[in-house]
Amino acid sequence: MAIVLSGRKFAKVVRLSLKKRVGQLEGPPPGLTVIMVGDDPASKVYVGAKERACKKVGFNSNVISLPLETSEEELLELVDSLNEDVSVHGILVQLPLPDHISVHRIASSVLPEKDVDGFHPVNVGKLWRGEEGLFPCTPSGIVALLKHHKIQMVGRNALIVGRSNIVGKPMAALLLRENCTVTIAHSRTTDLKELCAKADILVVAVGIAEMIKSDWVKSGSVVIDVGMNTDAHGKLVGDVDYEDVFDSCSAITPVPGGVGPLTIAFLLENTLKARVSALFGNR
Ligand code: NDP
């Protein structure tokens, strides 16, 4: 019987703490600007949720919606102007971007000190070098959730399934910083089931509904499900078969209510961090 690692409950704790820290700040509140290009329905939902979350903790939030035809140059000019704007502490360019805009070029154009997504090469470098910086929100939230539940990480075998720049790779770097022994698996991994069976901490970020079954996971392991998929009935499910795996592991995140709520909470944490750094002239 597993402990349910509720991201929803932990995100509430994080938001209360953020609200308190924002109340103690001198000067203007943290300001987050989100840029959205096009009108992808899922992006609209995420951007709306980010805006509401900002308001709840006393941040200034601004959403700039641009038409799908916006050129890369126009977007770069906008990012430049936000880089210059002292009232903007965090800049987030909502993904996905249309095909004619390079995600890498845009990510590199945001000032590293305002890069609350943690996608700028400077922040990626700092993450791997073990320095302070702004790091991707989903994996940061996962590490904080593990710490909140006092789950031992030092010396444990962690397997991350998925190697995206948003989740898999930064997750590996953060768990390495916590002194886990880290393995990363991906679509070309040939012995995934065997690797899963050795993992004390299993983080799955693949995007395939309920692919991880109970006979894959090590007994007593900690299972973190990042996946967000819709099943044949339109229900939101993770990459892990929750019902099947529940009795085999010692702790597990549900979907929904697991990792999802942590991503926005740690976007707010990053924005506050960026605001505090600006205050101390670290920019
Ligand atoms: P990507 O599509 O960018 O990456 C998926 C990764 O999974 C790739 O590295 C891919 O390998 C690997 N993969 C695909 N098929 C297999 C397989 N059969 N076996 C092993 N590995 C495989 O996805 P993201 O990282 O962006 O997202 C992953 C999931 O997490 C999605 O469901 C997404 O919706 C969700 N998500 C949830 C968030 C949240 O807040 N809860 C935040 C971000 C994402 P390869 O590199 O070889 O192609």
Side-chain angles (χ1 to χ4, degrees), residues 9-22:
K9 281 188 191 156
F10 179 50
K12 223 179 239 179
V13 174
V14 174
R15 280 199 303 271
L16 278 176
S17 155
L18 280 161
K19 204 170 176 180
K20 192 170 158 200
R21 282 176 283 152
V22 172

Side-chain angles (χ1 to χ4, degrees), residues 41 78 145 169 206 261:
L78 174 62
L145 180 73
K169 286 181 200 158
V206 169

Side-chain angles (χ1 to χ4, degrees), residues 26-232:
E26 284 182 16
L32 174 69
T33 295
V34 178
I35 306 172
M36 201 173 94
V37 184
D39 56 1
D40 176 59
S43 294
K44 272 188 176 169
V45 172
Y46 295 141
V47 168
K50 285 167 188 172
E51 203 176 12
R52 284 193 299 280
C54 278
K55 294 214 167 105
K56 271 191 199 161
V57 296
F59 287 15
N60 284 336
S61 97
N62 183 25
V63 176
I64 302 176
S65 297
L66 301 174
L68 191 67
E69 315 77 65
T70 304
S71 69
E72 189 175 278
E73 285 312 313
E74 285 169 324
L75 183 54
L76 287 168
E77 272 170 34
L78 174 62
V79 171
D80 271 351
S81 70
L82 295 170
N83 280 338
E84 295 294 316
D85 185 340
V86 291
S87 71
V88 175
H89 304 105
I91 303 168
L92 184 152
V93 183
Q94 183 66 40
L95 300 180
L97 285 170
D99 290 345
H100 64 274
I101 299 179
S102 153
V103 174
H104 286 318
R105 220 174 145 206
I106 299 303
S108 303
S109 72
V110 175
L111 264 185
E113 297 85 354
K114 296 192 180 192
D115 166 39
V116 285
D117 254 340
F119 295 162
H120 191 286
V122 165
N123 283 319
V124 176
K126 286 182 172 180
L127 172 60
W128 285 98
R129 281 166 57 132
E131 294 176 24
E132 272 299 304
L134 294 170
F135 305 140
C137 308
T138 304
S140 298
I142 291 170
V143 169
L145 180 73
L146 293 172
K147 286 185 176 169
H148 178 71
H149 284 277
K150 299 191 170 41
I151 287 171
Q152 192 203 323
M153 288 181 266
V154 179
R156 299 188 86 185
N157 288 332
L159 173 67
I160 297 138
V161 192
R163 57 174 164 181
S164 70
N165 290 320
I166 299 175
V167 188
K169 286 181 200 158
M171 187 77 254
L174 285 172
L175 288 176
L176 200 55
R177 285 168 75 125
E178 298 301 327
N179 295 307
C180 285
T181 303
V182 177
T183 305
I184 309 179
H186 46 79
S187 68
R188 308 292 181 90
T189 299
T190 50
D191 53 351
L192 185 57
K193 202 172 166 186
E194 288 80 359
L195 289 172
C196 286
K198 288 184 201 143
D200 303 308
I201 298 172
L202 174 63
V203 182
V204 193
V206 169
I208 299 179
E210 299 182 327
M211 76 174 267
I212 304 287
K213 306 288 180 190
S214 61
D215 59 337
W216 288 44
V217 305
K218 181 176 173 179
S219 172
S221 61
V222 174
V223 178
I224 306 292
D225 188 355
V226 184
M228 290 199 306
N229 318 286
T230 33
D231 71 4

